[in-house]
Amino acid sequence: MNKQDVGAAIRKAVQLFSKSLEDSDVLKVGALFDVWKPDTIYKAGGVVNHGEVLYKIMVDHTSQAHQPPDSPGMLAIYRPIAEETPGAGSIGNPILWINGMDCYSGKYYISNGIKYLCKADMLPCVWAPGTPGVWQWEPVV
């Protein structure tokens, strides 16, 4: 078996077992996941890469060109996987906010250079930190 065949086999194995991986482990091997494509059959629990963000596939479906993972209304189909390092979510190590990610009460997030304390679980979070009238985010001064 040559190097390309070995690499392809490893890639396929990681994709196949992605359903059993924790999000933090998925992020460690993110380069092994395929880039999202339209007209492709995707299975729940799989992972795709789109716009440098990894997305967990929530339900079996066939992708459509006008509905990529980051388009409005697609959170029931694709959920972004947020990069979390050890200690992430503390005031000194806030998590970079991504539209549609799961946000948890008591953790700190950063958006547009501003830190925010999350005041309620938002699963998924569709209200960007700093959105007027949204009490779930408290800016940190």
Side-chain angles (χ1 to χ4, degrees):
M1 195 180 270
N2 65 34
K3 287 182 182 181
Q4 285 181 327
D5 291 340
V6 171
I10 291 170
R11 182 182 189 104
K12 184 149 185 92
V14 167
Q15 291 176 8
L16 181 65
F17 292 105
S18 65
K19 296 175 188 179
S20 62
L21 295 175
E22 296 292 327
D23 287 352
S24 58
D25 294 325
V26 167
L27 290 167
K28 290 175 188 171
V29 293
L32 297 176
F33 293 100
D34 292 334
V35 172
W36 178 88
K37 298 181 297 196
D39 303 315
T40 302
I41 296 171
Y42 289 113
K43 297 290 184 185
V47 175
V48 293
N49 189 333
H50 180 71
E52 298 183 24
V53 174
L54 293 176
Y55 290 86
K56 186 171 283 187
I57 299 163
M58 306 306 289
V59 297
D60 294 353
H61 70 284
T62 300
S63 59
Q64 298 181 21
H66 67 286
Q67 294 179 319
D70 59 351
S71 63
M74 295 307 294
L75 291 173
I77 308 295
Y78 305 100
R79 187 74 57 88
I81 301 173
E83 177 114 28
E84 290 194 32
T85 57
S90 66
I91 193 164
N93 188 14
I95 300 165
L96 178 64
W97 183 81
I98 300 170
N99 184 51
M101 71 187 300
D102 291 342
C103 295
Y104 298 94
S105 180
K107 288 196 172 190
Y108 291 85
Y109 297 82
I110 191 163
S111 178
N112 295 320
I114 301 170
K115 290 181 188 177
Y116 294 87
L117 173 62
C118 183
K119 303 291 281 182
D121 289 348
M122 296 177 274
L123 313 171
C125 179
V126 295
W127 299 301
T131 299
V134 176
W135 63 268
Q136 290 89 340
W137 291 113
E138 179 180 295
V140 177
V141 200

